[in-house]
Amino acid sequence: MFRTALRNVLAHKARLLMTVLAVMLGVAFVSGTLIFNDTLSTGYRDQTAKSYAHVDVEARSYDSSDKIPGLSGKALDEIARLDGVAGAAGRVDGAAGVADKDGGLIGSGSSGMGANFAPGKDGKDPLYVFTDGSGPTEPGQVALDKDTAEKGGYHVGDTVRVAFRGPAKTYELSGIFTTDDTWVALGDSLALFDTPVAQRLFLQPGFYEYVTVTAHPGTSNTELAATLRKLLPDDTDVKTGRQLADERAKGGASDASTLSAILLAFAAVALFVSVFLIANTFTMLAAQRTRELALLRAVGASRRQVTRSVLIEAMVVGGVGAAAGLGLGAAIAAVARSTVGVFGAKNPDGPLVVTSTTVLVAVVVGVLVTMLAAWLPARRAAKIPPVAAIGSAHLPATTRSLLIRNLLGGIIALLGAAVVVAGAGAGGSEGRALVGFGAFLAVTGVLVLIPLLSRPVIAVVQPLLRGGFGVSGKLAGQNAVRSPRRTGATASALAIGLTVVSAMTVLATTLGQSTDKVTTDIVKADFMVTDSGAGLDTSASAALRKVPGVTTVSEEQQSWMQLDGVQEDVSAVTPADFDKTLRLPVVSGSQGTLAKGQVAVADDEARAHGWKVGDTLSAVYGDSDKSRKLTVGAVFESNEVVMPVVVSADVIDPNATSTTFSKVYLKADGSTDEKALADALAGWPGIKIDDRQAIHDEFSGAFDTVLNVLYALLAISLVIAVLGVVNTLAMSVFERQREVGMLRAVGLDRRGVTRMIQLESVVISLFGAAVGIAVGAFLGWAVCEVTKAEIPGYAFVLPWDRFGLFLLLAALVGLLAAMWPARSAARLNMLTAIKTE
């Protein structure tokens, strides 16, 4: 039986190749994700190990009682005098964006870092190796990492502009260095300053954010860390270099977590859709070999042996697909690794890492998925009685089996729909759980019912086929419903992909309309100014007020506070200007109460904590241990524009540690434009100025990104669906060779045969798309209903234009999938085909 199985695999190479491709795609994304994660994790771990090679222990401290950040110079001297300490260096760092010669920030801007150059007795800092020049030792000097200097075209002696909070400052480039620092390795810029300068810029004169310690040979890092904990204040965080390297490696690897999640989603969709293609393939192969399998039973093969024979074929196909998928997965991992920069990170050096676990998972997934998908066809083939060897009957499914299948599918689908509707009405976390469970049941039920649905749905379009394409259209319609099981299994691949994408398109469209409403009803400003560096300060808003045509400048400072013991993110604003640029969607109370020193809270926070207008809340700012009372003056609809809590800047400023503005909103009389605003802020590299359309895009960008990812998932489904349709049509043409020969003999020309196959393919594809869109729209409605309380200005929207585009894509899929089978059918020799048994 094993030799028989291998012979059957080799005898159906063309058809099984498509199954191999489907398995390969699923395995490729699984193995590619594992390789990608292992490669980046190993790279980050190795890179961080290098960055902490000269650090045995690190101590960080923040003295909250005296509001003095960091460790003092006295503490640094005490650390340096400890037994076992070979060297100790005080470190301080913060945000610092390096401007290029055109005024823009080098790199991602927000990730630009500044630090101090801390030379030892030999005049060298072990963290940095200078390839040109030397470290900064004077207030007007700066040193840059090699990559940043090359990107900016800077050489030693050049003037470099560095942006902090406020206008950029000018420094002379004293040196260019290389470093194993993890941030630089990940693509961030690093600017080094003389220690007193760095302390003034990022902390306070005479204090360090942390101290790096090098131990004498033979001194235990763990013991030295314990000694430092006893010496330093209780709030000091002391860790060994190994601990720091592990933590930094995890943080760096998280930059690629989004891409990993996307790849895993691709893998799940590809594997799920592949199951239908594989099951369809083995079902058709078993039907084609009915006579052969019955003959095996007649000469003594048992049911178990026949089943085993088909499963062996599946195992071989799955093994080949897994091996090919592993190779393709390595290529996908290499491509994904090169795209990490899109997410603001840089790849650590090192080769692709393919572990034994990845290889094992690829083999298990490929073989297991294929064998599971082939099990039902194998079991069905084993039931073929030996008497079937007398003729060539293919023994279609009995009426009873179809009745049981349709009854079961109908019950599951109706139950799932009822649970979804109940979840949509319940709302909240309970509603989301019900919708999720109901969606699973509904989709499962519809997939079971697809063969039953194919007849009435395709019957609706049969008159159009006859009227528009004559005999070819009539035959195509009849062929599409000839084998409901096969049609349903083929259409399922498209239905699954379009169910997911249609549901999320409905949600994204509804959220997009909500965003439109937010930017129309809430944002009254004409421009929004943000800084990708260290933020904006009062000098920036002062410069903007001087621009001709600007009538209102409203700054938003983002901070946090505790209200009745609950930590909340806060937008601090100037009420008079705020009223002219933003309109809070107030549910109760009044936005005007901000000017009275009262607080406005989002409705979801108010509901969660039982707050209402008139309540008095205990407010604690930042790390302060002092509290004051604030009255709730307004409750507004939660939105993406402002933080959940809004207060007047007069309330929070006396307790804030800084006055950095995250956003500045502007109203203008129409005589100004973005260029005038940019000219006024020419000293601020990294400034971003958005008009009203750009503001809308800023708030809707997250939805668009998710939707684009889902469209990529649809593309994966379409690729596998094409393979499935090709497989079905190829098998259909093979089984109908005699019929095609007869049609040719009675006058149907090659063009008519080609059109018949193409129309059959398009009809099946459109059927699958229609089912997917219908189910997806229903589930999308349910998701919108269950989350409508969290969507300001909720109004359900069906994106008919997108649905029409999906149907066009499905028709195109059908045409592409029919190319090879249609060509094969048209080229059949009619006499040879007529003689085919």
Side-chain angles (χ1 to χ4, degrees), residues 17-80:
L17 175 62
M18 298 174 199
T19 304
V20 170
L21 289 174
V23 177
M24 180 183 70
L25 286 174
V27 172
F29 284 107
V30 173
S31 58
T33 302
L34 295 176
I35 294 172
F36 174 73
N37 285 332
D38 289 340
T39 299
L40 287 189
S41 296
T42 301
Y44 286 130
R45 186 174 61 250
D46 293 345
Q47 181 60 54
T48 51
K50 291 180 183 178
S51 68
Y52 286 99
H54 301 287
V55 177
D56 293 318
V57 180
E58 178 183 285
R60 289 178 179 265
S61 176
Y62 182 89
D63 189 347
S64 58
S65 61
D66 295 328
K67 294 294 180 298
I68 300 176
L71 295 162
S72 66
K74 179 181 178 181
L76 175 61
D77 293 338
E78 291 177 350
I79 293 172

Side-chain angles (χ1 to χ4, degrees), residues 313-343:
E313 292 181 46
M315 182 179 68
V316 173
V317 170
V320 173
L326 183 61
L328 180 59
I332 290 174
V335 172
R337 186 185 180 198
S338 67
T339 60
V340 171
V342 175
F343 296 88

Side-chain angles (χ1 to χ4, degrees), residues 13 37 159 174 237 574 678 708 801:
K13 293 186 288 291
N37 285 332
T159 297
S174 66
D237 186 19
T574 303
N708 289 334
D801 55 339

Side-chain angles (χ1 to χ4, degrees), residues 564-575:
D564 278 358
V566 180
Q567 183 168 316
E568 298 283 0
D569 292 324
V570 176
S571 290
V573 300
T574 303

Side-chain angles (χ1 to χ4, degrees), residues 527-793:
F527 299 97
M528 180 177 73
V529 180
T530 55
D531 180 24
S532 59
L536 299 162
D537 66 356
T538 54
S539 60
S541 55
L544 290 170
R545 284 189 173 89
K546 297 177 182 178
V547 177
V550 172
T551 58
T552 304
V553 176
S554 176
E555 305 100 337
E556 178 188 349
Q557 179 185 346
Q558 293 183 355
S559 183
W560 63 273
M561 69 169 66
Q562 289 186 354
L563 291 178
D564 278 358
V566 180
Q567 183 168 316
E568 298 283 0
D569 292 324
V570 176
S571 290
V573 300
T574 303
D577 297 329
F578 180 75
D579 290 345
K580 298 175 184 177
T581 56
L582 294 174
R583 180 191 298 113
L584 287 179
V586 174
V587 176
S588 59
S590 171
Q591 180 173 331
T593 57
L594 291 174
K596 301 177 183 179
Q598 297 182 3
V599 59
V601 297
D603 53 359
D604 54 354
E605 292 296 318
R607 283 193 302 270
H609 306 297
W611 299 335
K612 60 184 182 298
V613 172
D615 286 354
T616 300
L617 309 180
S618 174
V620 178
Y621 300 91
D623 292 323
S624 172
D625 54 0
K626 299 178 181 178
S627 65
R628 61 171 295 178
K629 300 297 182 181
L630 290 179
T631 301
V632 178
V635 175
F636 61 91
E637 292 181 6
S638 177
N639 58 79
E640 298 294 325
V641 179
V642 295
M643 294 297 183
V645 173
V646 181
V647 299
S648 170
D650 294 337
V651 173
I652 199 171
D653 268 350
N655 303 280
T657 57
S658 68
T659 54
T660 302
F661 305 126
S662 58
K663 302 172 188 174
V664 176
Y665 293 97
L666 307 176
K667 282 288 287 184
D669 61 10
S671 62
T672 189
D673 55 18
E674 291 181 43
K675 184 179 184 305
L677 298 175
D679 290 342
L681 297 174
W684 282 263
I687 286 292
K688 183 182 178 185
I689 302 171
D690 294 332
D691 58 14
R692 288 195 62 82
Q693 182 59 47
I695 293 173
H696 170 270
D697 296 341
E698 182 82 17
F699 291 114
S700 64
F703 304 139
D704 294 338
T705 300
V706 171
L707 202 55
N708 289 334
V709 170
L710 290 168
Y711 289 153
L713 290 175
L714 174 61
I716 299 297
S717 299
L718 290 179
V719 170
I720 301 177
V722 167
L723 297 176
V725 177
V726 170
N727 217 5
T728 298
L729 294 178
M731 185 65 71
S732 178
V733 169
F734 179 85
E735 293 176 355
R736 290 162 22 209
Q737 287 186 64
R738 191 171 187 178
E739 175 188 321
V740 172
M742 290 295 294
L743 290 172
R744 291 291 312 283
V746 298
L748 189 65
D749 58 12
R750 290 186 174 182
R751 181 175 297 178
V753 172
T754 300
R755 187 182 299 118
M756 176 184 70
I757 302 297
Q758 288 175 335
L759 289 173
E760 179 183 350
S761 176
V762 170
V763 166
I764 293 175
S765 299
L766 287 175
F767 166 64
V771 171
I773 291 172
V775 176
F778 171 65
L779 297 180
W781 165 81
V783 173
C784 289
E785 285 292 312
V786 83
T787 57
K788 66 181 181 181
E790 303 168 16
I791 304 175

Side-chain angles (χ1 to χ4, degrees), residues 332-398:
I332 290 174
V335 172
R337 186 185 180 198
S338 67
T339 60
V340 171
V342 175
F343 296 88
K346 181 181 176 182
N347 291 307
D349 295 330
L352 287 178
V353 177
V354 183
T355 64
S356 57
T357 301
T358 299
V359 175
L360 181 62
V361 168
V363 173
V364 170
V365 168
V367 174
L368 188 62
V369 166
T370 308
M371 293 184 70
L372 285 175
W375 180 76
L376 279 177
R379 185 170 175 271
R380 197 177 297 124
K383 291 182 178 181
I384 298 172
V387 73
I390 298 173
S392 57
H394 285 204
L395 299 177
T398 63

Side-chain angles (χ1 to χ4, degrees), residues 56-59 82-83 85 213 219-234 236-240 243:
D56 293 318
V57 180
E58 178 183 285
L82 287 175
D83 293 337
V85 173
V213 180
T219 300
S220 168
N221 294 348
T222 304
E223 293 177 358
L224 183 57
T227 302
L228 288 178
R229 290 190 187 96
K230 295 177 182 178
L231 173 69
L232 299 173
D234 293 339
T236 305
D237 186 19
V238 181
K239 293 179 180 177
T240 65
Q243 291 174 321

